[in-house]
Amino acid sequence: MTAGTLRHVADLATPALLVDLDAFEANLADMAAALPGPRLRPHVKAHKTTALAARQAALGHRGFTCATVREVEGMVAAGLGEDLLLANEVLDASRLGPLVEAGARITVAVDSEQTLAAAVAGGVREVLVDVNVGLPRCGIAPERAGWLAERARASGVEVRGVMGYEGHLMMVPDPADRARRTEECMALLLAAHADVGGDVVSGGGTGTYAMNTWVTEVQAGSYALMDTAYTAAGLPFRQALTVLGTVVSATAPAGDAPGWAVADVGLKALGMDHGNPAVPGASVWFCSDEHLTFGGGSPPSVGDRVHVLPAHVDPTIALHERMHLVRGDEVLDTWEVDLRGW
Amino acid sequence: MTAGTLRHVADLATPALLVDLDAFEANLADMAAALPGPRLRPHVKAHKTTALAARQAALGHRGFTCATVREVEGMVAAGLGEDLLLANEVLDASRLGPLVEAGARITVAVDSEQTLAAAVAGGVREVLVDVNVGLPRCGIAPERAGWLAERARASGVEVRGVMGYEGHLMMVPDPADRARRTEECMALLLAAHADVGGDVVSGGGTGTYAMNTWVTEVQAGSYALMDTAYTAAGLPFRQALTVLGTVVSATAPAGDAPGWAVADVGLKALGMDHGNPAVPGASVWFCSDEHLTFGGGSPPSVGDRVHVLPAHVDPTIALHERMHLVRGDEVLDTWEVDLRGW
């Protein structure tokens, strides 16, 4: 988008999503080495950006995981519809059938007769049976997976296999404990797979990508950009995403009262379900709609720029229209976050 | 937008923001009775929707409060630029000057020499001095407000008065305590005003609209649509905003294990800084990116619709592209949330 017009970070209006290009490329390369080609089915919900997905595809990961119909539509429109898994149940698949007709390969997760019927009615031709492996969310009970696969085949759709997401284990602090519990979950998934059949056993995420050796493909997404929650879980990927802010107000210490500064990075620029973001070298006090109040460290001046590290990458990105790829002070490219909404 | 094409709530794709038209209109009428005309300067950050602001203007509130330059631009574009207060400090006001040139009235909050210089450089002609009345965020110390006003006048801009937001008191549970502490804050603001001069003393919010009798205008915004946090604070306004979801998965109780259901209203559809949303008659377990898991009550079926009550209205709306005005099962109109982003 910005070819020929090199810009500097200092010229960006704030708040602005920044991607450290070197860290991002290192994350992609490290993951591609660990899970080459189709062993990784990157989840686009983490970044909602087709330009970023194209980088993942260029490294050999040509199948993608989506969480919404909008994400599937956008990936197809971007020419990335070779093998898309909507890893989520929907009751209205009517926007998917025309994409399949036009040549996209779209597989939809089903965990009930109703979601199977919706997929069939919408013109979807391939499904995975979504299996509950311990996270109380979507997924049919393992022992009923074979029954649903039979219903699906009787409905005339292809059953490609199973998926089961051990999302409740992603942040388990001790890796050995995380691995042991992942194995238990995957035993449930493999038992279901024995009843269901098909080539695909899909699951896993950034927190279990290295230890989930039972699935045929891992659905990791956060690894590309990272956040403070996953960093705290001890993963080897680098924090590539920050939100650039400007200090709009600063109050000096007075007597015993500490000073503080306010940056223009607030609740509308940050996913907050994992708590406050971090500001390196400072202590975050609280966030308001358009403000982040922080203290500690060397007091910044009004006009200074700060890099804010989000606690949860996915909902943070969903609040932004674009992300800027930077190396040092140079903005090398700008990508639209084009898969937002529903 | 939907004139002549009456739709039903059942036909909406989910998740979808719904506004109960009767509750919304009652909230606007009640507030207009309490704070008529210019006594209220509605804050658009709460709803980010010019069509909604036009309803507030139609009731006599023709001056508005904004939190971002984008909000100011959008309000001017919508013909609502009669008297806009950017109640926030900015270091880049360059997009505001052209709007002023074109006839919009725009007043900007300043609390430092730097933000004053930015306003002047950007072509802004009127400012308010933002005073810290106890919330550790923006605002100059009350005793220095007069000094900044003097600097502003020396820079050639008009000083319209002061603003000071007692945001830390909005959720104080006991109204008497909230009122007492509001009085203390406003004493600071009035002292600053005595030094600054001008006609405007701006402050307050939905939590203190009835008790802040010291300001000349109240900056309330949340009252129009409400959320569970403000409802819990005992305010008389009605919950007009819900997020409509579809149950995409349901797991029946098994033995001693309770059942649960999953709706398609997750972290990307909900501001989470005030905690989980509420589902009437049910118990919310947790939210994921695109999912809300809840239990209790009579177990819903896959395909059922649920109304989710957000805990914080402002960041919830910032995640949605549009809101639908409904009465019962009828969708009467759809408004674009057109002031999002920066």
Side-chain angles (χ1 to χ4, degrees):
Chain A
M1 292 189 54
T2 55
T5 55
L6 192 65
R7 292 172 302 157
H8 289 85
V9 170
D11 300 329
L12 294 175
T14 56
L17 276 188
L18 301 189
V19 175
D20 179 318
L21 186 58
D22 294 334
F24 163 69
E25 289 182 339
N27 289 345
L28 259 57
D30 289 350
M31 183 60 99
L35 297 175
R39 281 280 296 144
L40 184 74
R41 183 186 284 279
H43 210 317
V44 304
K45 79 179 174 76
H47 54 69
K48 285 186 175 284
T49 302
T50 57
L52 197 162
R55 291 291 191 103
Q56 295 172 310
L59 287 177
H61 317 298
R62 300 175 65 170
F64 286 91
T65 312
C66 300
T68 65
V69 170
R70 168 84 62 102
E71 288 172 6
V72 173
E73 290 175 322
M75 290 292 283
V76 172
L80 296 165
E82 189 174 308
D83 183 4
L84 299 175
L85 168 61
L86 178 54
N88 194 3
E89 279 66 22
V90 291
L91 272 298
D92 177 4
S94 60
R95 288 148 61 192
L96 299 180
L99 303 176
V100 173
E101 282 293 329
R105 184 176 195 184
I106 298 171
T107 304
V108 174
V110 297
D111 72 352
S112 63
E113 291 193 90
Q114 295 95 326
T115 49
L116 171 61
V120 173
V124 169
R125 296 175 191 161
E126 296 179 283
V127 300
L128 283 188
V129 176
D130 187 2
V131 179
N132 179 356
V133 296
L135 172 70
R137 206 166 69 185
C138 300
I140 196 167
E143 63 274 14
R144 298 192 68 227
W147 165 81
L148 188 60
E150 207 170 291
R151 298 294 298 239
R153 293 191 176 102
S155 304
V157 296
E158 176 82 14
V159 179
R160 293 184 67 190
V162 294
M163 65 162 272
Y165 180 53
E166 70 279 22
H168 54 308
L169 305 183
M170 291 298 136
M171 302 289 176
V172 170
D174 175 35
D177 187 33
R178 202 186 313 154
R180 185 186 56 74
R181 294 171 63 184
T182 296
E183 182 171 7
E184 292 173 1
C185 290
M186 291 303 109
L188 297 173
L189 186 60
L190 294 180
H193 182 235
D195 294 342
V196 167
D199 296 330
V200 178
V201 180
S202 193
T206 293
T208 60
Y209 83 100
M211 57 190 63
N212 191 334
T213 54
W214 298 275
V215 293
T216 61
E217 56 179 44
V218 171
Q219 300 179 0
S222 301
Y223 78 96
L225 299 175
M226 290 294 284
D227 56 36
T228 62
Y230 266 123
T231 297
L235 292 161
F237 305 105
R238 293 166 59 185
Q239 178 79 36
L241 185 82
T242 58
V243 187
L244 181 72
T246 302
V247 173
V248 298
S249 187
T251 297
D256 290 341
W260 69 84
V262 181
D264 57 354
V265 179
L267 302 174
K268 289 165 183 172
L270 294 164
M272 293 295 292
D273 58 294
H274 285 173
N276 280 335
V279 177
S283 154
V284 170
W285 290 8
F286 64 95
C287 296
S288 319
D289 276 326
E290 300 287 352
H291 297 123
L292 169 69
T293 297
F294 61 101
S298 50
S301 301
V302 174
D304 284 357
R305 294 296 180 101
V306 292
H307 290 265
V308 179
L309 280 52
H312 193 181
V313 56
D314 311 45
T316 296
I317 291 178
L319 286 157
H320 291 263
E321 295 164 278
R322 59 192 68 88
M323 57 179 72
H324 305 282
L325 277 83
V326 304
R327 180 175 283 135
D329 290 333
E330 289 182 3
V331 180
L332 301 175
D333 207 349
T334 297
W335 291 343
E336 295 301 315
V337 184
D338 54 352
L339 301 177
R340 308 193 304 158
W342 297 278
Chain B
M1 293 185 54
T2 56
T5 55
L6 190 66
R7 291 173 303 155
H8 289 84
V9 170
D11 300 329
L12 294 175
T14 56
L17 275 188
L18 301 189
V19 176
D20 178 320
L21 186 58
D22 293 335
F24 164 70
E25 290 183 338
N27 289 345
L28 260 57
D30 289 351
M31 182 61 98
L35 298 174
R39 281 280 295 144
L40 183 75
R41 185 186 282 278
H43 210 316
V44 303
K45 80 179 172 77
H47 54 71
K48 286 188 175 284
T49 302
T50 56
L52 197 161
R55 292 291 191 101
Q56 295 172 311
L59 287 178
H61 318 297
R62 300 175 62 170
F64 286 91
T65 311
C66 299
T68 66
V69 171
R70 169 84 64 99
E71 288 173 4
V72 174
E73 290 176 323
M75 289 291 285
V76 172
L80 295 164
E82 188 174 309
D83 183 4
L84 299 176
L85 168 61
L86 179 54
N88 194 5
E89 279 65 22
V90 291
L91 272 298
D92 178 4
S94 61
R95 286 150 62 194
L96 299 180
L99 303 177
V100 173
E101 282 294 327
R105 184 174 196 186
I106 299 171
T107 304
V108 174
V110 297
D111 71 353
S112 64
E113 291 193 271
Q114 295 96 323
T115 48
L116 171 61
V120 172
V124 169
R125 298 174 189 161
E126 298 180 283
V127 300
L128 283 188
V129 176
D130 188 2
V131 179
N132 179 355
V133 296
L135 172 70
R137 208 167 66 186
C138 300
I140 196 166
E143 62 275 15
R144 299 191 67 227
W147 165 82
L148 188 60
E150 207 170 289
R151 300 293 298 240
R153 292 190 175 101
S155 306
V157 294
E158 175 82 15
V159 179
R160 293 184 67 188
V162 294
M163 64 161 270
Y165 179 53
E166 70 279 23
H168 54 309
L169 305 183
M170 291 297 137
M171 301 288 176
V172 169
D174 175 36
D177 186 33
R178 202 186 314 153
R180 183 186 58 72
R181 293 171 64 184
T182 296
E183 181 169 10
E184 292 172 3
C185 291
M186 291 303 110
L188 297 172
L189 187 60
L190 293 180
H193 183 235
D195 294 342
V196 168
D199 296 330
V200 177
V201 180
S202 193
T206 294
T208 60
Y209 83 99
M211 57 190 62
N212 191 332
T213 54
W214 299 275
V215 293
T216 62
E217 56 181 41
V218 171
Q219 298 179 2
S222 301
Y223 79 96
L225 298 175
M226 291 294 284
D227 56 34
T228 62
Y230 266 123
T231 297
L235 292 161
F237 304 105
R238 293 166 60 184
Q239 178 79 36
L241 185 82
T242 58
V243 187
L244 181 71
T246 301
V247 174
V248 297
S249 187
T251 297
D256 289 342
W260 68 84
V262 181
D264 58 353
V265 178
L267 302 173
K268 289 166 180 169
L270 293 164
M272 292 296 294
D273 59 294
H274 284 174
N276 280 334
V279 177
S283 154
V284 171
W285 290 9
F286 65 95
C287 296
S288 318
D289 277 325
E290 300 287 354
H291 297 123
L292 170 68
T293 297
F294 61 101
S298 49
S301 301
V302 173
D304 284 357
R305 295 296 180 99
V306 292
H307 290 265
V308 179
L309 280 55
H312 193 181
V313 57
D314 310 46
T316 295
I317 291 178
L319 284 158
H320 291 262
E321 295 165 277
R322 60 192 68 90
M323 59 180 71
H324 305 282
L325 278 82
V326 303
R327 180 174 284 135
D329 290 333
E330 289 183 1
V331 180
L332 301 175
D333 207 350
T334 297
W335 291 344
E336 295 301 313
V337 184
D338 54 352
L339 302 176
R340 307 193 304 159
W342 297 280

